[in-house]
Amino acid sequence: MHIVRFVSPLTGAAAVGVDDGEHVVEPAGVTTVGELLRLPAAELREWCAAADGPRHPSASVRRLAPVDGRMEVWAAGVTYRRSREARVVESERSADVYELVYDAERPELFFKSAAWKVSGDGGRVSVRADSEIDVPEPELGLVLNAAGEIAGYTVVDDVSSRSIEGVNPLYLPQAKIYLGGCAVGPAIRPAWEVPDPYALDITLTIVRAGETVWDGKASTAELNRRLDDLAGYLFRADDFPDGAVLATGTSLVPDLPFTLTDGDTVTIGIAEVGTLTTSVVRGLAAMR
Protein backbone atom coordinates (compact mmCIF):
# COMPACT_ATOMS: atom_id res chain seq x y z
CA MET A 1 0.00 0.00 0.00
CA HIS A 2 1.08 3.54 -0.76
CA ILE A 3 -0.42 6.94 -0.04
CA VAL A 4 -0.34 8.84 -3.31
CA ARG A 5 -0.83 12.38 -4.43
CA PHE A 6 -2.14 12.44 -7.97
CA VAL A 7 -4.18 14.23 -10.59
CA SER A 8 -7.78 13.14 -10.11
CA PRO A 9 -9.33 11.80 -13.34
CA LEU A 10 -12.66 13.09 -11.97
CA THR A 11 -11.75 16.73 -11.36
CA GLY A 12 -8.36 17.29 -13.00
CA ALA A 13 -7.14 18.69 -9.67
CA ALA A 14 -4.60 17.36 -7.19
CA ALA A 15 -5.98 14.67 -4.88
CA VAL A 16 -4.73 12.12 -2.35
CA GLY A 17 -5.61 8.47 -2.17
CA VAL A 18 -4.50 4.95 -1.38
CA ASP A 19 -2.82 2.77 -3.99
CA ASP A 20 -3.07 -0.99 -3.45
CA GLY A 21 -0.92 -1.77 -6.47
CA GLU A 22 -3.84 -2.25 -8.84
CA HIS A 23 -6.14 0.68 -8.12
CA VAL A 24 -5.94 4.10 -6.55
CA VAL A 25 -8.88 4.76 -4.25
CA GLU A 26 -9.91 8.42 -4.08
CA PRO A 27 -11.68 9.01 -0.73
CA ALA A 28 -13.90 12.04 -0.30
CA GLY A 29 -13.18 14.75 2.23
CA VAL A 30 -9.37 14.84 2.13
CA THR A 31 -7.55 16.55 -0.71
CA THR A 32 -4.00 17.20 0.57
CA VAL A 33 -1.16 15.24 2.14
CA GLY A 34 -0.93 18.00 4.76
CA GLU A 35 -4.46 17.21 5.95
CA LEU A 36 -3.50 13.57 6.46
CA LEU A 37 -0.35 14.49 8.35
CA ARG A 38 -2.36 16.46 10.88
CA LEU A 39 -3.64 13.06 12.07
CA PRO A 40 -1.89 10.96 14.72
CA ALA A 41 -0.18 7.94 13.16
CA ALA A 42 -2.80 5.54 14.55
CA GLU A 43 -5.64 7.55 12.98
CA LEU A 44 -3.80 7.75 9.67
CA ARG A 45 -3.55 3.96 9.66
CA GLU A 46 -7.30 3.71 10.28
CA TRP A 47 -7.96 6.19 7.44
CA CYS A 48 -5.90 4.09 5.03
CA ALA A 49 -7.65 0.88 6.03
CA ALA A 50 -11.12 2.44 5.65
CA ALA A 51 -10.40 4.36 2.44
CA ASP A 52 -13.34 4.11 0.07
CA GLY A 53 -14.42 6.00 -3.02
CA PRO A 54 -13.89 6.07 -6.78
CA ARG A 55 -11.24 3.62 -8.00
CA HIS A 56 -8.77 4.38 -10.79
CA PRO A 57 -6.35 1.89 -12.40
CA SER A 58 -2.95 2.56 -10.82
CA ALA A 59 -1.15 2.60 -14.16
CA SER A 60 -3.42 5.32 -15.53
CA VAL A 61 -2.97 7.83 -12.70
CA ARG A 62 -0.44 10.66 -12.99
CA ARG A 63 1.39 10.93 -9.71
CA LEU A 64 2.56 14.17 -8.13
CA ALA A 65 5.26 14.76 -5.53
CA PRO A 66 3.76 13.69 -2.15
CA VAL A 67 4.29 17.10 -0.54
CA ASP A 68 1.94 20.07 -0.64
CA GLY A 69 0.57 23.11 1.17
CA ARG A 70 2.63 24.17 4.18
CA MET A 71 4.81 21.06 4.14
CA GLU A 72 8.57 21.51 4.06
CA VAL A 73 11.45 19.25 3.08
CA TRP A 74 14.46 19.16 5.40
CA ALA A 75 17.62 17.07 5.22
CA ALA A 76 20.24 15.56 7.48
CA GLY A 77 23.90 15.61 6.47
CA VAL A 78 26.93 13.41 7.09
CA THR A 79 24.92 10.52 8.51
CA TYR A 80 26.80 7.80 6.60
CA ARG A 81 30.54 7.12 6.59
CA ARG A 82 30.59 7.41 2.77
CA SER A 83 29.07 10.88 2.98
CA ARG A 84 31.59 11.94 5.60
CA GLU A 85 34.46 10.72 3.43
CA ALA A 86 33.10 12.48 0.33
CA ARG A 87 32.67 15.78 2.17
CA VAL A 88 36.21 15.58 3.54
CA VAL A 89 37.61 14.95 0.05
CA GLU A 90 35.70 17.81 -1.59
CA SER A 91 36.30 20.38 1.15
CA GLU A 92 39.23 22.67 0.51
CA ARG A 93 39.60 24.22 3.96
CA SER A 94 37.13 22.72 6.42
CA ALA A 95 37.41 18.94 6.30
CA ASP A 96 37.42 18.71 10.09
CA VAL A 97 33.88 20.17 10.23
CA TYR A 98 32.51 17.02 8.59
CA GLU A 99 34.63 14.72 10.71
CA LEU A 100 33.31 16.34 13.88
CA VAL A 101 29.60 16.34 12.96
CA TYR A 102 29.63 12.66 12.02
CA ASP A 103 30.36 11.67 15.63
CA ALA A 104 28.61 14.57 17.39
CA GLU A 105 25.48 14.09 19.47
CA ARG A 106 23.63 16.80 17.55
CA PRO A 107 23.07 15.97 13.86
CA GLU A 108 23.43 18.37 10.95
CA LEU A 109 19.95 19.41 9.78
CA PHE A 110 19.16 21.96 7.10
CA PHE A 111 16.18 23.27 5.18
CA LYS A 112 15.96 21.83 1.68
CA SER A 113 12.76 22.97 -0.07
CA ALA A 114 9.28 24.40 0.22
CA ALA A 115 6.60 22.05 -1.08
CA TRP A 116 5.81 24.07 -4.19
CA LYS A 117 9.37 23.74 -5.49
CA VAL A 118 9.60 19.95 -5.17
CA SER A 119 9.72 17.80 -8.30
CA GLY A 120 8.02 14.40 -8.45
CA ASP A 121 8.56 11.10 -10.23
CA GLY A 122 8.90 11.66 -13.97
CA GLY A 123 9.73 15.34 -13.42
CA ARG A 124 12.90 17.35 -13.76
CA VAL A 125 15.72 18.32 -11.45
CA SER A 126 18.37 20.91 -12.25
CA VAL A 127 22.02 21.63 -11.64
CA ARG A 128 23.19 25.18 -11.10
CA ALA A 129 24.69 26.99 -14.08
CA ASP A 130 27.41 28.43 -11.80
CA SER A 131 28.56 25.05 -10.51
CA GLU A 132 31.09 22.62 -12.01
CA ILE A 133 30.47 19.45 -10.01
CA ASP A 134 26.87 18.41 -9.25
CA VAL A 135 25.51 15.09 -8.03
CA PRO A 136 22.27 13.42 -6.99
CA GLU A 137 22.10 12.24 -3.40
CA PRO A 138 19.68 9.32 -2.95
CA GLU A 139 18.11 9.35 0.50
CA LEU A 140 15.43 7.67 2.57
CA GLY A 141 12.87 10.33 3.43
CA LEU A 142 10.95 10.26 6.70
CA VAL A 143 7.37 11.47 6.30
CA LEU A 144 6.61 13.10 9.65
CA ASN A 145 3.17 14.09 10.91
CA ALA A 146 2.40 17.25 12.87
CA ALA A 147 3.33 15.48 16.11
CA GLY A 148 6.74 14.45 14.79
CA GLU A 149 5.81 10.76 14.45
CA ILE A 150 7.26 8.78 11.53
CA ALA A 151 4.10 8.19 9.52
CA GLY A 152 5.78 6.82 6.42
CA TYR A 153 8.77 6.75 4.10
CA THR A 154 9.52 8.13 0.66
CA VAL A 155 12.45 8.58 -1.73
CA VAL A 156 14.33 11.90 -1.83
CA ASP A 157 16.93 13.19 -4.28
CA ASP A 158 18.95 15.89 -2.51
CA VAL A 159 20.65 17.34 -5.60
CA SER A 160 23.84 19.11 -4.54
CA SER A 161 26.69 21.24 -5.88
CA ARG A 162 29.88 19.67 -4.59
CA SER A 163 32.01 22.44 -6.08
CA ILE A 164 30.15 25.22 -4.23
CA GLU A 165 29.93 23.50 -0.85
CA GLY A 166 33.52 22.32 -1.17
CA VAL A 167 34.86 25.88 -1.19
CA ASN A 168 33.27 26.74 2.16
CA PRO A 169 30.63 24.89 4.23
CA LEU A 170 28.88 28.24 4.78
CA TYR A 171 27.92 28.04 1.11
CA LEU A 172 25.79 24.96 1.83
CA PRO A 173 22.45 26.79 1.29
CA GLN A 174 23.55 27.82 -2.20
CA ALA A 175 24.77 24.28 -2.90
CA LYS A 176 21.50 22.73 -1.75
CA ILE A 177 18.56 25.13 -1.98
CA TYR A 178 17.51 26.29 -5.43
CA LEU A 179 14.77 25.65 -8.00
CA GLY A 180 15.11 22.07 -9.21
CA GLY A 181 17.35 20.95 -6.37
CA CYS A 182 14.87 18.57 -4.72
CA ALA A 183 12.76 15.64 -5.89
CA VAL A 184 10.48 13.48 -3.72
CA GLY A 185 8.33 10.49 -4.57
CA PRO A 186 6.82 8.56 -6.09
CA ALA A 187 4.55 8.08 -3.06
CA ILE A 188 4.49 7.50 0.71
CA ARG A 189 4.92 3.97 2.04
CA PRO A 190 3.18 3.81 5.43
CA ALA A 191 5.59 3.21 8.30
CA TRP A 192 3.59 0.27 9.64
CA GLU A 193 4.24 -1.62 6.38
CA VAL A 194 8.04 -1.36 6.64
CA PRO A 195 9.16 -3.78 9.37
CA ASP A 196 12.83 -2.73 9.44
CA PRO A 197 13.79 0.68 8.00
CA TYR A 198 17.42 -0.07 8.89
CA ALA A 199 17.63 -2.89 6.33
CA LEU A 200 16.58 -1.22 3.07
CA ASP A 201 18.71 -1.46 -0.06
CA ILE A 202 19.27 1.86 -1.88
CA THR A 203 20.27 1.98 -5.54
CA LEU A 204 21.31 4.87 -7.77
CA THR A 205 21.61 4.70 -11.56
CA ILE A 206 22.58 7.57 -13.87
CA VAL A 207 21.97 7.13 -17.60
CA ARG A 208 23.49 9.41 -20.26
CA ALA A 209 22.71 9.10 -23.97
CA GLY A 210 21.20 5.67 -23.40
CA GLU A 211 24.14 4.25 -21.44
CA THR A 212 24.68 3.83 -17.71
CA VAL A 213 27.51 6.13 -16.65
CA TRP A 214 27.27 5.53 -12.91
CA ASP A 215 25.48 3.12 -10.61
CA GLY A 216 25.84 2.02 -7.05
CA LYS A 217 24.15 0.22 -4.18
CA ALA A 218 24.08 0.81 -0.44
CA SER A 219 21.85 0.09 2.56
CA THR A 220 20.22 2.00 5.39
CA ALA A 221 22.03 -0.50 7.64
CA GLU A 222 25.04 1.81 7.24
CA LEU A 223 23.21 4.78 8.79
CA ASN A 224 25.06 6.30 11.76
CA ARG A 225 21.93 7.84 13.31
CA ARG A 226 18.60 6.67 14.68
CA LEU A 227 15.66 7.79 12.56
CA ASP A 228 13.55 8.82 15.53
CA ASP A 229 16.51 10.80 16.86
CA LEU A 230 16.78 12.77 13.62
CA ALA A 231 13.04 13.47 13.71
CA GLY A 232 13.27 14.51 17.34
CA TYR A 233 15.95 17.10 16.63
CA LEU A 234 13.91 18.56 13.76
CA PHE A 235 10.86 19.01 15.99
CA ARG A 236 12.83 20.04 19.08
CA ALA A 237 12.33 23.78 18.48
CA ASP A 238 10.13 24.03 15.40
CA ASP A 239 6.53 23.43 14.37
CA PHE A 240 5.18 21.69 11.26
CA PRO A 241 1.36 21.82 11.40
CA ASP A 242 1.04 19.99 8.05
CA GLY A 243 3.96 17.65 8.60
CA ALA A 244 7.34 17.51 6.90
CA VAL A 245 9.68 15.26 4.96
CA LEU A 246 13.15 14.72 6.43
CA ALA A 247 15.79 13.24 4.13
CA THR A 248 18.16 11.14 6.22
CA GLY A 249 21.45 11.51 4.35
CA THR A 250 23.20 9.66 1.56
CA SER A 251 25.53 6.69 1.37
CA LEU A 252 25.94 6.86 -2.43
CA VAL A 253 28.14 9.70 -3.71
CA PRO A 254 29.85 9.44 -7.13
CA ASP A 255 33.60 9.93 -6.91
CA LEU A 256 35.09 13.22 -8.06
CA PRO A 257 35.19 14.54 -10.75
CA PHE A 258 31.90 12.93 -11.83
CA THR A 259 29.12 15.44 -12.45
CA LEU A 260 25.56 15.40 -13.68
CA THR A 261 24.91 17.02 -17.03
CA ASP A 262 21.94 18.22 -19.04
CA GLY A 263 19.93 15.28 -20.39
CA ASP A 264 20.94 12.71 -17.76
CA THR A 265 18.29 10.44 -16.23
CA VAL A 266 18.57 9.69 -12.51
CA THR A 267 16.82 6.68 -10.98
CA ILE A 268 16.79 6.09 -7.23
CA GLY A 269 15.29 2.93 -5.77
CA ILE A 270 14.70 2.12 -2.11
CA ALA A 271 13.48 -1.37 -1.29
CA GLU A 272 9.92 -1.50 0.10
CA VAL A 273 9.53 2.26 -0.49
CA GLY A 274 9.61 2.97 -4.23
CA THR A 275 11.53 4.20 -7.27
CA LEU A 276 12.01 7.85 -8.18
CA THR A 277 13.10 8.78 -11.72
CA THR A 278 13.88 12.31 -12.92
CA SER A 279 15.62 13.96 -15.84
CA VAL A 280 18.34 16.59 -15.47
CA VAL A 281 18.43 20.11 -16.92
CA ARG A 282 21.04 22.81 -16.41
CA GLY A 283 20.31 26.28 -15.14
CA LEU A 284 17.34 28.28 -13.92
CA ALA A 285 15.89 29.11 -17.33
CA ALA A 286 15.66 25.45 -18.33
CA MET A 287 14.06 24.49 -15.03
CA ARG A 288 11.46 27.23 -15.33
Side-chain angles (χ1 to χ4, degrees):
M1 176 198 302
H2 288 82
I3 299 169
V4 293
R5 180 169 173 260
F6 64 101
V7 177
S8 170
L10 299 178
T11 66
V16 293
V18 175
D19 187 354
D20 63 8
E22 295 184 359
H23 293 90
V24 173
V25 179
E26 183 177 349
V30 176
T31 58
T32 70
V33 177
E35 288 178 76
L36 290 180
L37 294 179
R38 296 171 200 163
L39 300 174
E43 291 185 24
L44 177 60
R45 184 170 186 173
E46 293 175 0
W47 181 88
C48 289
D52 192 19
R55 299 166 65 85
H56 314 293
S58 296
S60 68
V61 168
R62 181 164 71 89
R63 286 163 175 75
L64 303 172
V67 293
D68 53 29
R70 295 182 295 172
M71 292 180 66
E72 298 176 1
V73 180
W74 284 67
V78 200
T79 55
Y80 289 86
R81 183 175 297 276
R82 177 70 182 100
S83 179
R84 181 191 68 173
E85 293 169 350
R87 295 293 180 262
V88 168
V89 168
E90 76 189 18
S91 179
E92 297 180 8
R93 300 179 180 87
S94 306
D96 59 330
V97 170
Y98 301 104
E99 294 277 12
L100 292 171
V101 78
Y102 180 78
D103 294 316
E105 179 181 352
R106 181 184 295 273
E108 177 198 10
L109 299 178
F110 57 90
F111 177 77
K112 179 64 182 178
S113 182
W116 69 270
K117 292 185 178 182
V118 176
S119 299
D121 183 51
R124 295 182 295 175
V125 294
S126 69
V127 294
R128 291 182 60 125
D130 61 351
S131 173
E132 295 78 39
I133 304 293
D134 306 274
V135 293
E137 295 189 7
E139 307 190 14
L140 176 68
L142 308 181
V143 181
L144 306 171
N145 66 11
E149 298 175 293
I150 301 174
Y153 304 98
T154 191
V155 182
V156 178
D157 185 1
D158 171 21
V159 188
S160 304
S161 166
R162 296 188 70 179
S163 50
I164 292 176
E165 185 181 359
V167 171
N168 191 314
L170 293 179
Y171 293 160
L172 183 140
Q174 296 176 75
K176 297 279 191 178
I177 308 168
Y178 59 89
L179 187 65
C182 180
V184 177
I188 298 168
R189 184 70 188 274
W192 57 87
E193 294 205 340
V194 180
D196 187 359
Y198 299 98
L200 304 178
D201 287 338
I202 304 174
T203 58
L204 170 63
T205 303
I206 304 171
V207 173
R208 181 174 300 160
E211 296 189 4
T212 298
V213 292
W214 200 91
D215 64 356
K217 181 178 180 180
S219 170
T220 56
E222 303 163 33
L223 186 64
N224 191 45
R225 299 278 183 177
R226 295 291 303 176
L227 299 177
D228 53 353
D229 185 52
L230 291 174
Y233 269 98
L234 181 63
F235 276 71
R236 180 173 287 196
D238 211 344
D239 193 20
F240 301 92
D242 284 355
V245 171
L246 175 59
T248 55
T250 188
S251 54
L252 287 172
V253 182
D255 292 329
L256 293 170
F258 181 90
T259 185
L260 290 172
T261 190
D262 186 61
D264 287 353
T265 298
V266 176
T267 299
I268 299 169
I270 301 183
E272 301 186 50
V273 178
T275 301
L276 174 66
T277 300
T278 54
S279 58
V280 179
V281 298
R282 185 171 185 82
L284 180 59
M287 188 64 200
R288 281 175 172 166

